[in-house]
Amino acid sequence: MRNRTPVAALAALAIVLSPTAAANAHGSSLDEELLEEKLEAYAAVGDYAALAAVADGDDSWTGAAGNRTVGGGEEAEDDDLFRIASLTKSMLAVVVFQLEAEGELDLDDPIDEYLPGVLPYEEEITIRQLLGHTAGLGEYFWKLYPSLLEGSIADLEAHQAEHHTPQELIAIATDVPLLFPPGEGWSYSTTGYLVLGLLVEDLTGDSLRHQLKERVFEPAGMDDAYFPRDNTAGFRGDHTTPYITTGDPSRPYLDTTSYSHSVFWSGGSVVADVDDVNAFYRAAADGTLLTAEQFTEAVDFRDTHWGFDYGLGFTGLKPGCPGNPDEMFMGHTGGGVGHTTYSFHSLDGQRQVTLTWNLDNSHGTVDPDALQEAQDEFIAAALCGGDASAPSATTERLLSVG
């Protein structure tokens, strides 16, 4: 994925498959040799590690390429942990849907009915609008680290270990008018998901950390996933080291291991491995976590006019597989200030790919075009079942924030 600014990446996904790919696009087995080849090629583009999990029905494959740290060291393992970042939003959305089924809320209720004054606006904002990024809320991230808007990581480097409460971050984002009247536009907002995290804690009387474990991780079989305590940083198991590019040739990468989990909280703090991520999205689709009606509602995608589709906590993607070029896949992307993740799945949860690498390439330190081409080829092999040729002029653009 080509990162243009830290944790805000617009990536073009373009896939054209060879005749062999077209023949294999709907087969039930995985070409593990091809997947390994494409993942190795992807990791070889830059000085980073790439991890992936691919599934087609009951067949599955995981792989790792590269080293956990830049410049050498231990080889990455396919069960290494990473910040899944905004994929957390899909998990929080599942909890909100579950609470609706339990009669604790209605998606069309104003958030002010549950958390009076949490947002300082006279306009009515509903839970559904927060889930779908149609509330008109702005982002706090750029105000927290304003130098990023100028291409400098100085603010992030100086303050990455600072702890922030959700209320503090919401206040930072909402000291200006709404971007548009609620329901009349679309703008990606982690701020809204912080509000939803507070809502879950208020309705359950429990920590979001515990609720995600009980409602999502355990029933989905996500054995290594966890929601960190928000006053901590780092990882509690083997992991790839996250880096952001600096723009300074003398020290091209900044290790962001000490980045505070509190900055993304309910909008992006979950730590997991690639198998955990696939397990989650399959469980969302197969009835384990959501009813069929709830899942259909979550993946009722709308055109965001940002170049990709979005539902309620889930992003939609059409990779253009032969035989069914208009097939929609669901999932999410995530930028965790060092770990960047791309995860998409057929609507029946049978064909799956999660690809993550430990670099936010904001300054183009790694060749962006080569990076994009290698990514596209791996996604083609994973979702469509075959080799990839030259990229198409028709592209899907995906947002990865937080």
Side-chain angles (χ1 to χ4, degrees), residues 152-394:
S152 167
I153 66 164
D155 291 337
L156 187 147
E157 184 171 12
H159 304 291
Q160 65 170 311
E162 290 181 358
H163 172 70
H164 302 276
T165 66
Q167 293 86 349
E168 175 190 355
L169 297 175
I170 292 167
I172 290 172
T174 58
D175 65 352
V176 294
L178 291 172
L179 299 176
F180 48 80
E184 296 186 17
W186 195 93
S187 185
Y188 192 91
S189 176
T190 299
T191 308
Y193 274 74
L194 299 187
V195 175
L196 292 170
L198 293 176
L199 174 65
V200 169
E201 293 197 333
D202 182 73
L203 291 176
T204 63
D206 202 353
S207 69
L208 181 60
R209 185 171 182 264
H210 180 75
Q211 287 295 306
L212 283 169
K213 180 181 178 181
E214 293 290 316
R215 292 176 175 271
V216 177
F217 303 157
E218 290 184 350
M222 301 168 66
D223 297 333
D224 296 311
Y226 67 97
F227 186 78
R229 297 185 186 279
D230 59 8
N231 60 348
T232 63
F235 305 85
R236 65 182 194 193
D238 291 337
H239 60 279
T240 55
T241 301
Y243 298 94
I244 187 171
T245 56
T246 66
D248 180 354
S250 67
R251 50 162 205 142
Y253 307 116
L254 172 69
D255 179 346
T256 58
T257 302
S258 64
Y259 192 72
S260 173
H261 293 299
S262 69
V263 176
F264 288 144
W265 195 55
S266 56
S269 289
V270 169
V271 173
D273 63 28
V274 286
D275 269 335
D276 285 334
V277 173
N278 276 7
F280 164 73
Y281 282 105
R282 180 169 291 205
D286 70 8
T288 300
L289 298 177
L290 297 173
T291 66
E293 293 76 15
Q294 288 176 322
F295 180 69
T296 298
E297 189 173 6
V299 298
D300 183 13
F301 297 116
R302 61 172 284 174
D303 182 356
T304 65
H305 302 294
W306 284 35
F308 59 94
D309 296 339
Y310 204 88
L312 300 178
F314 293 76
T315 299
L317 166 72
K318 293 180 181 179
C321 293
N324 195 359
D326 292 326
E327 181 180 8
M328 182 72 78
F329 286 70
M330 58 85 184
H332 217 288
T333 58
V337 192
H339 287 128
T340 305
T341 304
Y342 182 109
S343 186
F344 281 91
H345 317 264
S346 58
L347 294 181
D348 61 6
Q350 295 298 297
R351 277 178 293 151
Q352 302 186 274
V353 61
T354 296
L355 171 66
T356 189
W357 57 104
N358 58 332
L359 178 66
D360 183 330
N361 190 39
S362 300
H363 299 85
T365 303
V366 174
D367 182 343
D369 292 328
L371 184 65
Q372 186 67 55
E373 181 179 356
Q375 175 192 313
D376 292 350
E377 291 191 359
F378 182 82
I379 297 302
L383 286 185
C384 302
D387 206 351
S389 60
S392 166
T394 303

Side-chain angles (χ1 to χ4, degrees), residues 88-130:
T88 301
K89 292 179 173 67
S90 298
M91 298 171 190
L92 179 57
V94 162
V95 175
V96 172
F97 272 107
Q98 291 175 352
L99 290 172
E100 181 186 41
E102 295 163 14
E104 296 293 332
L105 60 86
D106 187 294
L107 295 188
D108 294 309
D109 286 341
I111 189 64
D112 225 34
E113 287 188 9
Y114 302 91
L115 301 173
V118 69
L119 296 173
Y121 300 114
E122 294 182 0
E123 295 91 337
E124 183 176 282
I125 293 174
T126 67
I127 296 169
R128 183 183 302 277
Q129 290 165 348
L130 295 173

